[in-house]
Amino acid sequence: MNCIRSLCNADVGVDFVVGKDVSLPETKVSSSQNPNGKIGGNRPSKRTILAFFAGNLHGYVRPILLNHWSSRPEPDMKIFNRVDHKSYIRYMKRSRYCVCAKGYEVNSPRVVESILYGCVPVIISDNFVPPFLEILNWESFAVFVPEKEIPNLRKILVSIPVRRYVEMQKRVSKVQKHFMWHDGEPVRYDLFHTILHSVWYNRVFQTF
């Protein structure tokens, strides 16, 4: 087929075709008047939590994550099954890294939530193709951890120099505009326009 598919579940292990199909961000909109919520968070020096995750135990990756880290005596690793919504946002705003572990599908709303709350995403999803690869260098503002390296998660994050983390966090802030909806008319470079750009780019420069 020559059609371009736009998918939130951009899984190269199933049938997503890189260079042809378009990976879409997965977002949650709780209010049409304030679609992005209260974005932002603590500045890097005030983010005292190394890594945070909370969510349902969907799929096979999250149980491995929880079984390994939820009971470990590491006070800077906040890995939970579930927390209430206010606590969830508070943890994201106070954490350096937010773990985005795949559930039933490779993508998760946590990727966009992490970015909007100024938390560097840690993506644990081997077959996931991040959105907007044609314009965003994801490795400059996100950490990709292979699923098999979950037991080494803290070691990997601690090994990242502080200067490197601060730079990544700054870049998270810079790319926020590409993941934001707006009430009323779309704003230049926002999520609406960036999705359209991805579709246009893959149509014009299709490599498949």
Side-chain angles (χ1 to χ4, degrees):
M1 296 196 318
N2 292 323
C3 64
I4 296 173
R5 298 177 306 158
S6 299
L7 304 171
C8 286
N9 188 37
D11 187 345
V12 294
V14 180
D15 56 2
F16 185 88
V17 181
V18 178
K20 176 175 179 287
D21 297 328
V22 174
S23 175
L24 299 178
E26 191 169 331
T27 66
K28 289 182 178 179
V29 177
S30 56
S31 169
S32 59
Q33 287 73 37
N34 185 23
N36 304 300
K38 296 181 180 180
I39 67 171
N42 293 1
R43 61 180 184 270
S45 62
K46 296 296 183 180
R47 289 180 177 263
T48 56
I49 299 169
L50 178 64
F52 164 68
F53 173 85
N56 292 322
L57 301 185
H58 297 155
Y60 65 87
V61 170
R62 295 183 185 182
I64 296 173
L65 177 70
L66 267 291
N67 288 340
H68 192 87
W69 288 108
S70 62
S71 60
R72 300 237 165 192
E74 302 289 355
D76 57 357
M77 297 285 288
K78 304 297 183 183
I79 309 296
F80 307 109
N81 184 355
R82 299 193 67 178
V83 296
D84 62 81
H85 184 64
K86 288 185 178 180
S87 297
Y88 181 86
I89 293 175
R90 186 169 64 250
Y91 276 120
M92 278 203 160
K93 288 175 176 282
R94 295 171 52 207
S95 299
R96 293 185 181 182
Y97 300 97
C98 290
V99 178
C100 307
K102 68 178 290 185
Y104 290 134
E105 298 182 343
V106 292
N107 202 355
S108 165
R110 284 169 186 78
V111 177
V112 173
E113 290 170 344
S114 299
I115 292 170
L116 294 183
Y117 293 129
C119 187
V120 175
V122 177
I123 298 173
I124 307 178
S125 183
D126 287 355
N127 294 327
F128 176 49
V129 179
F132 313 144
L133 279 177
E134 70 279 0
I135 61 170
L136 298 181
N137 177 12
W138 278 80
E139 292 188 351
S140 72
F141 63 88
V143 179
F144 292 84
V145 176
E147 295 167 10
K148 67 179 181 180
E149 294 295 333
I150 287 176
N152 296 318
L153 178 59
R154 187 177 186 277
K155 181 180 178 180
I156 291 170
L157 298 180
V158 169
S159 71
I160 299 173
V162 173
R163 178 179 293 183
R164 168 68 174 158
Y165 159 70
V166 171
E167 183 61 30
M168 294 178 78
Q169 202 276 336
K170 288 180 180 178
R171 289 173 178 170
V172 165
S173 298
K174 286 183 179 180
V175 303
Q176 282 178 344
K177 61 186 177 184
H178 298 302
F179 296 91
M180 294 174 64
W181 296 112
H182 289 90
D183 178 23
E185 292 293 322
V187 175
R188 194 176 186 185
Y189 305 122
D190 71 357
L191 186 51
F192 176 81
H193 282 124
T194 311
I195 290 173
L196 291 183
H197 179 273
S198 279
V199 175
W200 169 83
Y201 185 92
N202 278 25
R203 176 66 181 86
V204 175
F205 300 103
Q206 193 173 106
T207 59
F208 182 75

